[in-house]
Amino acid sequence: MKLRIALLCVLTLAVGLTSHAQKGYIDSLRTVFQNEKDPAKKIDVFYAIAFEVALDNPALQFAYADSIAALAKKSGYRKADAMVHYLRGHGYLDEQKPDLALEEFREEWRIYKEIGDKKEEPTALGNLAQAWSDLNNTDSAVVYYFASIKLDEELGNLLDASIDYNNIGNLYSDDGAYDKAIELFEKSLNIRKQLGVEKRYVQCYHNLAVAYGRKKDFAKAEEYARIGLEYAVKYENTAYAGFITNSMGNDLNAEGRSREAIPWLEQAYGHFSALGHKYYQAYPLYNLSIAYTQIGQPARGLEYARKGYGIVEENNFG
């Protein structure tokens, strides 16, 4: 089971949107768990439940890890020990303790190597990369991501490999190595085009737009943003429609190009409002308040600022 995340905010938003649908799925898993007789399969189902529950309640990962450890002790199912380290590792990441997460993921990887489960090794390597990234050690993170990619490509898991190309690209983009980042985002996109997974193009176009925006090549950034937005709308991915338009507006605004930024930011606010996601509505509202003030409309800017501040206060966003 893989958990590959290029953007934490994407996961956060997805959690808020899918929790209702997840409940029915979790309930069905619990029924399977109760009826399953094989100890190993029972643990596999329990792990799937833990994975889903943790999306909404990350703090429960430790409790689920302890339960799986107890089940593993009775059954002797070695793979379950790796599951325990996976859950604890991500629990520590959520607590912003990447040093402790790193040790858990090292154990996860060691166990998969020990039992010869090559199929799960890329996940453990990706987890190690994520921990190193959270420790602000880009070089080590990149090493583990490429190791994960190598195994994924050997196993034919090309979509997983493309996800890690995006992950590495995001690290380079955050470090200001935009040309390196762009090369990897294009590689990820090409893999997805070869696979024909059109609905997965949007992440790559968003990343490319952000990288070109940071590079101050706004013509190219806008080109990719518009393509990404088309795919987001086509596949009703309103979350990414919001991310794309907000990023484009934010970058233009930061360059003092507020008149160009406003239409993008208003789109972003519209997308996030359609989702009913208050946290993300605050971002374009904040930028709109700045943009309107910069173009000589302070009253309009104050209106957006008050609206954004109201959301922050109402929802206790610190």
Side-chain angles (χ1 to χ4, degrees):
M1 185 179 293
K2 293 199 169 208
L3 180 61
R4 302 293 184 82
I5 306 167
L7 294 172
L8 181 58
C9 59
V10 176
L11 175 62
T12 305
L13 182 53
V15 167
L17 297 175
T18 60
S19 57
H20 180 71
Q22 281 174 348
K23 186 178 184 303
Y25 178 54
I26 292 169
D27 288 343
S28 67
L29 285 174
R30 284 177 174 145
T31 300
V32 173
F33 175 76
Q34 289 169 358
N35 296 329
E36 182 59 61
K37 303 301 180 187
D38 182 273
K41 290 180 181 177
K42 201 173 183 72
I43 291 174
D44 286 340
V45 176
F46 193 76
Y47 181 53
I49 294 171
F51 183 86
E52 294 296 327
V53 170
L55 291 176
D56 276 332
N57 299 286
L60 292 178
Q61 289 176 110
F62 293 105
Y64 274 98
D66 290 344
S67 296
I68 290 175
L71 291 170
K73 191 172 182 180
K74 292 179 182 178
S75 67
Y77 184 36
R78 191 77 176 98
K79 186 175 177 178
D81 293 329
M83 297 175 184
V84 170
H85 291 297
Y86 172 96
L87 290 168
R88 287 178 179 161
H90 280 284
Y92 283 130
L93 286 183
D94 287 318
E95 291 182 350
Q96 298 182 10
K97 298 175 181 176
D99 52 333
L100 298 178
L102 189 66
E103 295 308 311
E104 297 292 342
F105 294 144
R106 279 175 174 154
E107 281 300 299
E108 178 197 18
W109 184 36
R110 183 186 65 78
I111 292 167
Y112 283 134
K113 288 177 69 177
E114 181 183 297
I115 64 178
D117 194 337
K118 195 171 184 179
K119 188 171 68 173
E120 293 292 347
E121 280 191 54
T123 300
L125 289 164
N127 290 333
L128 283 163
Q130 189 177 344
W132 280 117
S133 174
D134 284 9
L135 284 164
N136 298 314
N137 189 327
T138 298
D139 290 341
S140 293
V142 168
V143 167
Y144 280 103
Y145 274 133
F146 273 120
S148 178
I149 287 170
K150 184 174 183 295
L151 278 179
D152 273 329
E153 289 177 340
E154 289 175 7
L155 294 165
N157 300 330
L158 297 184
L159 184 57
D160 285 335
S162 81
I163 292 170
D164 276 341
Y165 280 124
N166 266 341
N167 288 334
I168 300 168
N170 281 319
L171 289 175
Y172 283 142
S173 184
D174 289 343
D175 282 352
Y178 304 125
D179 290 333
K180 279 185 178 181
I182 288 165
E183 181 182 343
L184 290 163
F185 294 147
E186 288 176 341
K187 191 163 189 173
S188 178
L189 179 60
N190 287 335
I191 291 172
R192 294 176 191 211
K193 286 183 174 180
Q194 290 167 18
L195 295 173
V197 286
E198 212 179 63
K199 66 168 59 178
R200 301 296 292 272
Y201 295 176
V202 63
Q203 294 94 337
C204 300
Y205 282 116
H206 173 238
N207 289 336
L208 283 162
V210 169
Y212 275 109
R214 290 175 175 178
K215 198 180 175 183
K216 314 302 182 190
D217 186 343
F218 290 106
K220 203 72 175 174
E222 185 169 339
E223 175 189 340
Y224 283 119
R226 292 195 183 281
I227 296 171
L229 188 57
E230 285 178 13
Y231 281 111
V233 171
K234 179 178 179 179
Y235 291 101
E236 299 181 342
N237 193 335
T238 310
Y240 256 107
F243 295 140
I244 290 167
T245 50
N246 187 65
S247 295
M248 194 70 216
N250 184 50
D251 288 342
L252 286 166
N253 206 29
E255 284 297 297
R257 297 169 65 165
S258 299
R259 290 189 186 278
E260 297 169 71
I262 286 170
W264 289 98
L265 294 169
E266 287 179 338
Q267 281 190 73
Y269 178 59
H271 291 307
F272 291 139
S273 296
L275 291 170
H277 201 285
K278 297 291 187 181
Y279 184 85
Y280 286 98
Q281 288 174 33
Y283 285 103
L285 286 172
Y286 170 74
N287 284 309
L288 280 165
S289 71
I290 294 173
Y292 274 108
T293 301
Q294 287 180 339
I295 65 168
Q297 296 185 35
R300 191 77 182 273
L302 184 60
E303 176 189 336
Y304 279 113
R306 283 173 173 162
K307 191 179 290 186
Y309 183 73
I311 288 174
V312 171
E313 284 289 291
E314 180 184 345
N315 295 276
N316 296 315
F317 297 142

